[in-house]
Amino acid sequence: MNTELTQVAVVTGASRGVGKGIALALGAAGMTVFVSGRAPEQAGSRLHGQALTGSLEETAEAITRAGGRGIAVICDHADDAQVRALFERVERECGRLDLLVNNAAFLHENLIDPGPFWEKPLELVRILEVGLRSAYVASYHAAPLLVRGGHGLIAFTSSFGAGCYMHGPAYGAQKAGCDKLAADMAVDFEGTGVAALSLWLGPQLTERTRIAGENHGEQYEAFLAQAETPQFNGQVIHALLNDPELLSLSGQTLVTAEIAPRYGISEAEGRQPPSYREMLGAPRLQHPARVV
């Protein structure tokens, strides 16, 4: 494959779930996609006692079958040296980068349990390390490659939890932090051709939400009936990357369900996922003041 003509992406946290679905959509669009995640012996995620299936190798193989080129890279995003090595490999093997999707996050199995934060495990706070800090570190190493190419996008997977109470303060702070990272990185990227966006995804159809639905049926039933597939969001990200007007959007927090019709993107059989703006709130507008 001629990587000089093929767009190159890095999707972090892509062993399963949202990251995997986004990576598959990018692969179906013909991209070379580096997918990162922890080593198999470290990645034993569980929810309500059930092990979550999936692996980086399976994701990479599925990307290739979809028409792209999938490359699995073992990377613990809590380890800055491993993150640096990931982007050094991208530069060494492809010489370019067009897209970084910051999706890796530590999701504790007690995240959606009822109760105040002080009655849940303190370990939930790790989402601020792997989820917020790790996104900054990945962006730091991706930025020189993106700027060198003169065009590109850093996308953060966020949610309505950035603006309303959702799953407790650690989760909300991580999502709000991603929105702020995108807004401020966009300022630094001005004049480079690179954009930064935070994307509010709606409820996702993943193995994790299926298990959650089984344990919180009434609470999740209505949401899951109209939920989005991660592939839907991957299609939106690909469309944004290739939008001639991308730079006019840089720094914003966008609701993927709202931006999808702009690109003619829908779920199977034309189903259009709803936006939860009126129910859960709107993205916060950044003040135009700049203190340097």
Side-chain angles (χ1 to χ4, degrees):
M1 179 175 291
N2 186 344
T3 55
E4 292 183 357
L5 301 177
T6 302
Q7 289 181 314
V8 178
V10 171
V11 181
T12 69
S15 296
R16 62 183 65 85
V18 172
K20 179 176 182 177
I22 289 173
L24 290 177
L26 298 177
M31 296 185 71
T32 292
V33 187
F34 289 80
V35 289
S36 69
R38 293 179 297 169
E41 63 272 14
Q42 300 175 307
S45 298
R46 303 182 68 85
L47 183 63
H48 293 292
Q50 299 186 47
L52 300 176
T53 61
S55 70
L56 276 183
E57 290 72 18
E58 291 172 358
T59 299
E61 291 169 1
I63 290 167
T64 301
R65 288 197 302 270
R69 179 183 175 216
I71 302 172
V73 182
I74 299 299
C75 178
D76 183 348
H77 282 270
D79 185 329
D80 292 354
Q82 292 187 39
V83 177
R84 182 180 67 249
L86 163 64
F87 289 95
E88 288 174 346
R89 178 173 175 181
V90 173
E91 181 174 20
R92 184 170 63 251
E93 295 187 8
C94 294
R96 64 178 291 173
L97 180 64
D98 300 276
L99 170 67
L100 166 63
V101 180
N102 278 310
N103 176 71
F106 174 80
L107 297 177
H108 196 280
E109 69 171 317
N110 298 117
L111 176 67
I112 63 175
D113 289 351
F117 72 92
W118 62 89
E119 294 181 357
K120 299 179 184 181
L122 180 59
E123 195 179 18
L124 267 72
V125 78
R126 284 194 60 207
I127 196 172
L128 300 180
E129 175 185 356
V130 181
L132 184 57
R133 184 184 183 280
S134 64
Y136 182 97
V137 174
S139 300
Y140 177 89
H141 291 293
L145 275 171
L146 292 163
V147 169
R148 188 184 309 163
H151 174 75
L153 170 64
I154 293 179
F156 298 83
T157 57
S158 186
S159 85
F160 288 88
C164 71
Y165 183 92
M166 184 181 290
H167 307 325
Y171 179 87
Q174 187 263 331
K175 295 306 181 186
C178 284
D179 294 355
K180 183 60 172 168
L181 286 181
D184 288 357
M185 286 180 184
V187 174
D188 287 348
F189 278 131
E190 286 179 355
T192 68
V194 178
L197 292 170
S198 191
L199 303 175
W200 280 13
L201 282 54
Q204 298 294 292
L205 289 171
T206 66
E207 184 181 17
R208 182 178 290 274
T209 56
R210 177 187 61 77
I211 294 173
E214 293 173 354
N215 288 271
H216 303 79
E218 294 182 4
Q219 181 180 0
Y220 279 80
E221 185 176 356
F223 281 112
L224 295 181
Q226 301 188 77
E228 303 163 1
T229 62
Q231 288 88 335
F232 167 84
N233 289 285
Q235 292 176 46
V236 172
I237 291 172
H238 183 263
L240 285 164
L241 172 65
N242 293 285
D243 187 340
E245 303 300 320
L246 171 62
L247 294 180
S248 69
L249 302 172
S250 189
Q252 296 184 39
T253 296
L254 303 175
V255 178
T256 54
E258 294 175 358
I259 199 73
R262 170 175 175 157
Y263 305 111
I265 296 170
S266 63
E267 294 283 9
E269 301 179 352
R271 179 175 69 86
Q272 200 68 52
S275 168
Y276 292 90
R277 177 185 292 261
E278 292 193 7
M279 180 186 298
L280 301 178
R284 180 177 181 272
L285 295 177
Q286 298 295 317
H287 194 278
R290 297 183 181 184
V291 181
V292 296

